[in-house]
Amino acid sequence: MGFSKNFMWGGATAANQCEGAWNVGGKGMTVSDVSTAGTVSDPRYTTYITKDGKPGKAIMFQELPEGAHRAVLDEYYYPYHEGIDFYHHYKEDIALFAEMGFKIFRMSISWARIFPKGIEKEPNKEGLAFYRRVFEELKKYNIEPLVTIFHYDMPVYLEEELGGWGNRELIDLFEKYACVLFNEYKGLVKYWLTFNEINSPILLRNYIPNYPKSRMKEALQILHHQFVASARVVRAAHEISPDMKVGAMLGGVCSYPLTCNPDDVLATQKRQQDDFYYCCDTMARGKYPYYAQRFWEEYDVKLETKEQDFIDIQEGKVDMITFSYYSTGCTTVDENAEKAKGNFTTGAKNPYLQYSEWGWSIDGKGLRYFLNELYGRYQLPLMVVENGLGAVDQLEANGSIHDPYRIAYTREHVKAMRDAIHDGVDLLAYTYWGCIDLVSASTGEMKKRYGFIYVDRNNDGSGTLKRYKKDSFYWYKKVIESNGEDVD
């Protein structure tokens, strides 16, 4: 029992990390457009102008001073402004995806390219036309689009003037935006994802020291609005076209107890519930899970809701579960346990695993375990929509790039998926993250490369943007041709 003949092999990107053309074609400014470059040791910043007219910067995810407005400042470099210029290179890039044999390509749409502020009565025709050209190019090669509607790319106007997802007005605006997409691309796009890593607002407390309880209260209210918005969008998609399939997309949190101490086991169970299942249970089962009340009480949360919200959530259950999976973590109550350190900490260090340069554990078997856990819990089709290894690649004088570390990483995860399918898991697709090099979301670097395709672009923005095939390009092509049988 290997991969089915209909299994969809492919890759994944996000508009803000690869598209570029940040102020071209009628696109409005997004929160991504004011994110500076960083490194594994130096944080990314959000730049702004205070109400007194003074320039400033705040570490990404931190609140801005009261009255400040996000702004592009001359003294900073913003890697998302040009990305890898997929906006102008999409035909070349899609041809390379087709050469590898892609059956599916995950991408996102920038809300501000369709509604520049997010509140307009009519969509931006140039933005709609651009994505139509992309979808038609994919169709030419029989590549199925998998489209994320919201991938960390909020129009600045919605964030600053309406207060972002803390304001329930965004539910209606998001539904309007999604319905424009469904009607515009009906027949071109079958698979949709509502929110990228929807659990990210609650994951931040694990990554930011001394995360205030008030921010968690805001995060849980934001999630309620997003649950309602997602459910309404799922229902709308089914009404517009019964063929459309809409999925949840979550940041994969897979944690092991560091020891067999019952306290570690209980702490791990709680972490999985709070960090992952809270969102997934709500979206897949159509109601908040039994442990939600315990979670809310921990942060003194009393959600502001309407009776209709719970009807919407029940009627808008997702068709499939999709998630990112890069590594696993360990949970322990022992405060002196060694931490796995990287750009984001994932808990205690696992002595049985190797770690990447950026501090991520490499754990193919964990993917098999996680797939079994999810399918056993939901009995819904699954997709692995992000998985990959960030590493420093060397472009040789002859244009070759030797990346055996990426092949080794991906090989183990392909084997794990094959084993999970043999276990009985219904797995539809695998879209390797950053199938073409793009700007790293966590560090803002180009140096941290994921792709099978190398893009000549450096951390400071220099480079020709020329595309080169890495060794992993040819390896993945072979994997797809053999439908996952030849992974050597």
Side-chain angles (χ1 to χ4, degrees):
M1 289 177 61
F3 295 95
S4 76
K5 64 180 181 180
N6 297 319
F7 187 80
M8 293 181 286
W9 299 92
T13 61
N16 57 346
Q17 292 172 254
C18 73
E19 209 169 87
W22 74 286
N23 58 359
V24 172
K27 179 182 172 293
M29 183 183 286
T30 73
V31 295
S32 299
D33 294 328
V34 292
S35 294
T36 66
T39 67
V40 68
S41 56
D42 298 316
R44 302 190 72 180
Y45 291 96
T46 296
T47 55
Y48 59 83
I49 294 177
T50 67
K51 61 182 178 182
D52 299 325
K54 297 178 181 178
K57 63 180 182 178
I59 294 176
M60 198 164 61
F61 304 130
Q62 287 189 342
E63 292 185 2
L64 305 188
E66 186 176 351
H69 289 278
R70 289 166 178 79
V72 173
L73 305 177
D74 291 340
E75 60 265 40
Y76 295 99
Y77 170 58
Y78 301 91
Y80 286 158
H81 282 192
E82 193 170 5
I84 60 166
D85 199 21
F86 178 79
Y87 189 88
H88 295 107
H89 289 257
Y90 72 90
K91 287 189 176 182
E92 173 189 356
D93 293 341
I94 291 171
L96 288 167
F97 301 157
E99 186 180 339
M100 272 189 283
F102 278 21
K103 312 298 182 191
I104 191 168
F105 173 54
R106 181 186 172 215
M107 54 176 281
S108 71
I109 287 178
S110 176
W111 193 341
R113 204 176 284 287
I114 306 302
F115 289 100
K117 287 186 175 180
I119 60 169
E120 291 83 357
K121 290 184 178 179
E122 299 297 328
N124 172 33
K125 291 182 179 179
E126 286 186 76
L128 290 174
F130 166 68
Y131 291 113
R132 176 170 286 277
R133 291 194 296 272
V134 172
F135 296 144
E136 288 175 344
E137 194 70 13
L138 290 167
K139 187 175 182 179
K140 185 170 85 174
Y141 294 103
N142 295 314
I143 299 173
E144 195 81 52
L146 170 62
V147 180
T148 310
I149 301 170
F150 183 78
H151 195 132
Y152 303 149
D153 211 15
M154 174 82 83
V156 162
Y157 183 91
L158 295 183
E159 185 66 41
E160 294 188 344
E161 302 301 322
L162 295 186
W165 279 105
N167 184 344
R168 62 178 300 129
E169 284 185 46
L170 263 71
I171 297 173
D172 290 336
L173 292 171
F174 184 72
E175 184 178 10
K176 175 184 175 181
Y177 158 55
C179 286
V180 165
L181 302 182
F182 295 153
N183 284 298
E184 180 72 21
Y185 305 123
K186 181 179 178 180
L188 281 172
V189 181
K190 176 180 179 180
Y191 296 106
W192 299 88
L193 305 177
T194 52
F195 290 86
N196 180 70
E197 294 187 332
I198 193 169
N199 52 334
S200 58
I202 51 179
L203 293 180
L204 287 178
R205 76 190 192 286
N206 299 326
Y207 306 140
I208 299 176
N210 304 313
Y211 197 66
K213 183 176 282 190
S214 61
R215 292 286 298 276
M216 269 300 289
K217 294 172 79 169
E218 293 171 10
L220 289 165
Q221 186 64 54
I222 283 170
L223 275 174
H224 178 74
H225 293 158
Q226 291 184 341
F227 290 151
V228 176
S230 176
R232 287 194 194 175
V233 164
V234 171
R235 188 171 56 198
H238 293 161
E239 290 170 355
I240 291 169
S241 174
D243 291 337
M244 288 183 183
K245 302 295 182 185
V246 188
M249 195 289 185
L250 297 101
V253 177
C254 183
S255 189
Y256 309 128
L258 183 64
T259 73
C260 55
N261 179 345
D263 289 336
D264 282 1
V265 175
L266 284 168
T268 304
Q269 182 183 63
K270 182 179 183 297
R271 180 182 179 188
Q272 290 295 122
Q273 288 177 342
D274 295 355
D275 288 1
F276 189 87
Y277 290 130
Y278 175 80
C279 294
C280 208
D281 284 353
T282 305
M283 300 177 79
R285 294 174 169 172
K287 61 181 180 180
Y288 280 108
Y290 70 89
Y291 50 84
Q293 189 63 47
R294 184 265 303 157
F295 193 25
W296 298 332
E297 287 176 358
E298 184 176 344
Y299 293 97
D300 301 324
V301 171
K302 184 171 176 57
L303 293 179
E304 295 178 9
T305 66
K306 293 184 177 181
E307 189 175 343
Q308 183 62 38
D309 293 350
F310 301 99
I311 298 171
D312 291 338
I313 290 171
Q314 178 62 39
E315 293 181 351
K317 290 179 286 191
V318 293
D319 301 309
M320 57 194 180
I321 305 294
T322 80
F323 59 93
S324 59
Y325 177 93
Y326 295 99
S327 64
T328 53
C330 286
T331 302
T332 181
V333 296
D334 181 3
E335 296 181 358
N336 296 316
E338 183 182 1
K339 298 290 192 296
K341 295 180 179 179
N343 53 318
F344 287 143
T345 181
T346 53
K349 192 165 187 178
N350 190 328
Y352 297 97
L353 297 176
Q354 292 183 323
Y355 284 77
S356 74
E357 181 181 350
W358 275 268
W360 296 78
S361 66
I362 299 173
D363 186 12
K365 291 179 181 177
L367 178 57
R368 178 184 182 181
Y369 166 77
F370 197 47
L371 285 166
N372 272 276
E373 286 294 294
L374 294 182
Y375 191 64
R377 191 179 185 100
Y378 301 112
Q379 298 290 297
L380 285 174
L382 306 178
M383 290 185 181
V384 181
V385 296
E386 287 187 28
N387 172 245
L389 178 70
V392 178
D393 296 329
Q394 177 64 46
L395 176 65
E396 304 294 344
N398 64 359
S400 63
I401 303 99
H402 307 302
D403 56 343
Y405 37 85
R406 184 169 292 108
I407 293 171
Y409 174 94
T410 313
R411 176 188 294 121
E412 293 310 305
H413 290 82
V414 170
K415 287 179 179 178
M417 290 189 294
R418 186 168 61 198
D419 289 341
I421 291 170
H422 186 74
D423 294 333
V425 171
D426 184 8
L427 185 61
L428 300 179
Y430 173 72
T431 57
Y432 177 93
W433 173 251
C435 49
I436 181 170
D437 289 347
L438 37 66
V439 179
S440 168
S442 56
T443 65
E445 296 175 288
M446 280 299 301
K447 176 183 176 182
K448 184 184 181 184
R449 299 176 181 275
Y450 284 85
F452 302 130
I453 300 164
Y454 184 98
V455 179
D456 182 22
R457 188 74 166 173
N458 300 313
N459 283 358
D460 61 1
S462 61
T464 64
L465 291 174
K466 185 176 178 181
R467 275 63 167 155
Y468 298 87
K469 302 171 190 176
K470 304 179 188 179
D471 287 354
S472 57
F473 178 101
Y474 302 102
W475 175 83
Y476 195 49
K477 183 177 193 291
K478 180 180 66 172
V479 170
I480 296 174
E481 284 176 345
S482 68
N483 199 28
E485 291 303 313
D486 186 356
V487 297
D488 296 326

